[in-house]
Amino acid sequence: MFRFCSLFSGSNGNSLFVTDGETRLLVDAGVSGIRIQNALASIGENPASIDAIFVTHEHSDHSQSVGILSRRYNIPVYATKGTWRGMRSFIGNVNELNVMYIDPEKSILTGHIEVHPFRIPHDATEPVGYSFRCENKKLTIATDIGHMNSELLENIRNSDLLMLESNHDLEMLDNGPYPYVLKRRIKSDYGHLCNSIAGETIAQLALEGVKKFIIGHLSGENNNPAVAYRTVGACIESIGFRLGEDIELHVAERGITSKVFYI
Ligand SMILES: [Zn+2]
Ligand SMILES: [Zn+2]
């Protein structure tokens, strides 16, 4: 059985925790090391027992304290060559023995957990999402997605729990304070996924049998948990599913450690 917790999720910092009870993994470390340590302690986990950190991409909201945690607890860090190239200069020194390279679409085994990195369309050097498999269960994390495509869809389908980006409400973004260039970047094919596309994707996957979803990586300026839940929830209900009965939908709130999910 997997236990999963969104320690932090949002455009201001991300760190997710995955364990099968034996192997303990972090996906990203994009807030301070102290905040991650405290969040882990709040769910009864010891940061010293983390076996590996898997990094999705070099943006600081995902990589800020990767080096700090690796040095403090001697933790191996797994990332693509492009992500290593992108983050090396600002995460500080990492012991060469803890520098681990992964390739998109090539699974690796850590303990009994099979980790599968897959490409995501985002404006970073070589960004990936991850799915984790253990005992026939599949847990998938896909945020920082400019657009949906068939390769990505293939990787996120058939999950027992999917955490998907639902970054912004298009209207809030259009009417909000961000400068034009930033709005254009967020909306681009290599930016971030809006609530309505997240909703359409989740509805499609629900039709295929996926039952548990967490939406995350919410923007602070251009979204809020109620709007995201309402938009994605409406997509799910529009095809006849009952929220909370047929389909579980949760929002990972910015800066708040989520409950622990068991799958
Ligand atoms: Zn991000
Ligand atoms: Zn990013």
Side-chain angles (χ1 to χ4, degrees):
M1 184 172 31
F2 276 124
R3 271 183 287 141
F4 171 75
C5 179
S6 167
L7 304 174
F8 298 97
S9 180
S11 51
N12 58 342
N14 299 274
S15 187
L16 311 172
F17 173 76
V18 178
T19 182
D20 64 349
E22 285 180 24
T23 305
R24 289 168 166 76
L25 310 175
L26 280 186
V27 177
D28 292 332
V31 300
S32 74
I34 282 289
R35 291 183 71 198
I36 292 174
Q37 286 170 219
N38 290 342
L40 282 169
S42 78
I43 57 163
E45 296 292 341
N46 181 351
S49 66
I50 297 293
D51 295 290
I53 303 173
F54 285 85
V55 185
T56 58
H57 63 296
E58 68 271 26
H59 291 162
S60 64
D61 60 317
H62 298 261
S63 66
Q64 192 192 118
S65 64
V66 165
I68 293 164
L69 292 174
S70 177
R71 287 188 292 278
R72 191 171 293 159
Y73 299 109
N74 192 27
I75 307 172
V77 177
Y78 291 79
T80 61
K81 284 197 183 72
T83 297
W84 271 114
R85 213 168 43 239
M87 70 182 179
R88 274 263 172 161
S89 61
F90 59 85
I91 64 165
N93 195 38
V94 172
N95 185 329
E96 281 307 314
L97 294 173
N98 286 329
V99 175
M100 303 291 181
Y101 293 101
I102 51 169
D103 290 314
E105 301 301 337
K106 280 200 186 140
S107 297
I108 61 160
L109 204 60
T110 53
H112 296 292
I113 303 177
E114 185 189 321
V115 185
H116 183 77
F118 54 86
R119 286 181 201 88
I120 51 170
H122 188 55
D123 53 4
T125 316
E126 196 182 8
V128 292
Y130 290 102
S131 63
F132 301 90
R133 282 178 202 268
C134 182
E135 295 170 4
N136 287 329
K137 298 287 183 192
K138 179 181 176 185
L139 161 66
T140 306
I141 293 157
T143 67
D144 302 71
I145 300 166
H147 64 281
M148 289 304 303
N149 60 42
S150 54
E151 184 187 343
L152 178 53
L153 203 57
E154 194 53 41
N155 273 301
I156 65 176
R157 63 171 29 118
N158 296 323
S159 298
D160 295 281
L161 174 65
L162 169 64
M163 180 164 184
L164 185 69
E165 170 165 53
S166 195
N167 179 258
H168 57 277
D169 176 82
L170 265 182
E171 221 167 286
M172 287 173 77
L173 178 64
D174 282 338
N175 299 325
Y178 278 12
Y180 172 73
V181 180
L182 187 53
K183 288 182 183 179
R184 198 176 58 186
R185 189 220 138 205
I186 291 169
K187 286 203 272 190
S188 80
D189 272 358
Y190 293 87
H192 291 280
L193 207 65
C194 69
N195 294 340
S196 50
I197 305 291
E200 282 172 23
T201 306
I202 285 175
Q204 182 181 343
L205 294 170
L207 278 175
E208 294 178 10
V210 181
K211 290 188 161 52
K212 253 188 196 188
F213 300 92
I214 304 172
I215 48 178
H217 206 290
L218 268 63
S219 160
E221 294 279 354
N222 310 306
N223 209 356
N224 67 57
V227 167
Y229 186 89
R230 201 165 56 235
T231 307
V232 174
C235 290
I236 295 171
E237 287 180 326
S238 74
I239 50 168
F241 289 115
R242 289 160 305 178
L243 269 181
E245 292 181 46
D246 308 314
I247 301 293
E248 266 185 50
L249 176 66
H250 304 271
V251 184
E253 294 196 36
R254 285 163 64 89
I256 298 176
T257 299
S258 76
K259 69 172 188 171
V260 177
F261 294 86
Y262 293 81
I263 60 160

